[in-house]
Amino acid sequence: MRSTLRAYIIITCGSFIQGMAMALFLFPHAIPSGGAGGIAVLLNYWFNIPLSFALWLVNFTLLASAIKWLGNASTIGTMYTITITSISVHIFSMDIFSHHANVWVDLIIGSIVLGIGVGILLRQQVSNGGMGVIALIFAKFRNIPPGKPLLLLNGFIFILTASIIAWEIVVQALISQWISTRILDIVYNLKLTIYRAPTLSWRKK
């Protein structure tokens, strides 16, 4: 019980950091943090749906479509992650946290913070949701690594978002992905005594 509680505390921190990066630094410039983030940005742009709820809705829909393949433990962990992330996005989207920094400054800072948050989640063997869930389904049926379908899915969403809002978003999103994944790898491979729950068989994104 104590080990599970500690794992959820760490997951909460990672989810909160991930949401902060999105709401404070990336979403204000319509920079998608990934495929799910791109769809959330579009829903906000088209229907004025709050970004926090849009992100939760997209992730919940993707997760619901993959429950059969993820299993109960992974589904619960991922659902908790996307819920805390959405709450964090809502909190940091409040006017009190608004700022007007240069888009490239925000992109760099936001990508670093995002990488830290996702890295913490992956150390706990928890998926942070997004298009990675769908990529795992493609990989299962086509018997291929999930990297290629994930790249194609996110790439399509980036291009769609850019074609509707602004084309420079493609470049910004790709740079953000590159920076965040580099930071993610550093955090994931850190030789620290960060707790990793051995009894929870959650799957990586």
Side-chain angles (χ1 to χ4, degrees), residues 93-153:
S93 294
M94 295 179 179
D95 292 338
I96 189 175
F97 294 107
S98 63
H99 67 291
H100 304 283
N102 179 275
V103 59
W104 294 104
V105 173
D106 273 358
L107 185 150
I108 294 172
I109 297 175
S111 300
I112 292 173
V113 176
L114 179 66
I116 293 172
V118 177
I120 292 173
L121 293 173
L122 292 184
R123 285 184 70 104
Q124 294 299 309
Q125 307 301 303
V126 175
S127 169
N128 66 321
M131 302 304 291
V133 174
I134 304 301
L136 289 174
I137 298 177
F138 276 101
K140 179 181 178 66
F141 281 100
R142 299 299 297 271
N143 194 28
I144 58 176
K148 184 176 181 179
L150 178 61
L151 177 63
L152 292 175
L153 289 168

Side-chain angles (χ1 to χ4, degrees), residues 1-202:
M1 183 65 183
R2 182 180 297 177
S3 61
T4 300
L5 177 61
R6 187 175 180 181
Y8 269 97
I9 291 174
I10 296 174
I11 292 169
T12 301
C13 292
S15 303
F16 199 78
I17 292 171
Q18 176 180 235
M20 180 178 66
M22 295 175 181
L24 277 183
F25 303 105
L26 301 179
F27 285 174
H29 303 289
I31 301 173
S33 58
I39 297 175
V41 168
L42 288 175
L43 290 175
N44 173 262
Y45 181 81
W46 283 329
F47 307 110
N48 201 31
I49 299 175
L51 281 167
S52 57
F53 178 72
L55 183 66
W56 184 89
L57 180 63
V58 172
N59 274 308
F60 178 84
T61 302
L62 293 172
L63 180 61
S65 67
I67 288 177
K68 178 180 178 181
W69 293 271
L70 290 177
N72 292 334
S74 183
T75 299
I76 293 172
T78 303
M79 190 71 241
Y80 179 78
T81 296
I82 64 177
T83 299
I84 297 300
T85 298
S86 297
I87 292 173
S88 178
V89 169
H90 176 72
I91 292 173
F92 286 104
S93 294
M94 295 179 179
D95 292 338
I96 189 175
F97 294 107
S98 63
H99 67 291
H100 304 283
N102 179 275
V103 59
W104 294 104
V105 173
D106 273 358
L107 185 150
I108 294 172
I109 297 175
S111 300
I112 292 173
V113 176
L114 179 66
I116 293 172
V118 177
I120 292 173
L121 293 173
L122 292 184
R123 285 184 70 104
Q124 294 299 309
Q125 307 301 303
V126 175
S127 169
N128 66 321
M131 302 304 291
V133 174
I134 304 301
L136 289 174
I137 298 177
F138 276 101
K140 179 181 178 66
F141 281 100
R142 299 299 297 271
N143 194 28
I144 58 176
K148 184 176 181 179
L150 178 61
L151 177 63
L152 292 175
L153 289 168
N154 281 340
F156 173 76
I157 298 300
F158 290 162
I159 293 174
L160 178 63
T161 304
S163 66
I164 294 172
I165 300 178
W167 277 107
E168 59 265 25
I169 289 176
V170 171
V171 176
Q172 293 167 347
L174 290 175
I175 293 175
S176 177
Q177 287 284 296
W178 185 83
I179 295 174
S180 62
T181 52
R182 299 289 79 75
I183 299 300
L184 184 161
D185 287 341
I186 293 173
V187 173
Y188 184 80
N189 293 312
L190 279 177
K191 302 300 182 181
L192 299 176
T193 56
I194 296 178
Y195 178 78
R196 302 173 77 179
T199 59
L200 300 178
S201 56
W202 296 332

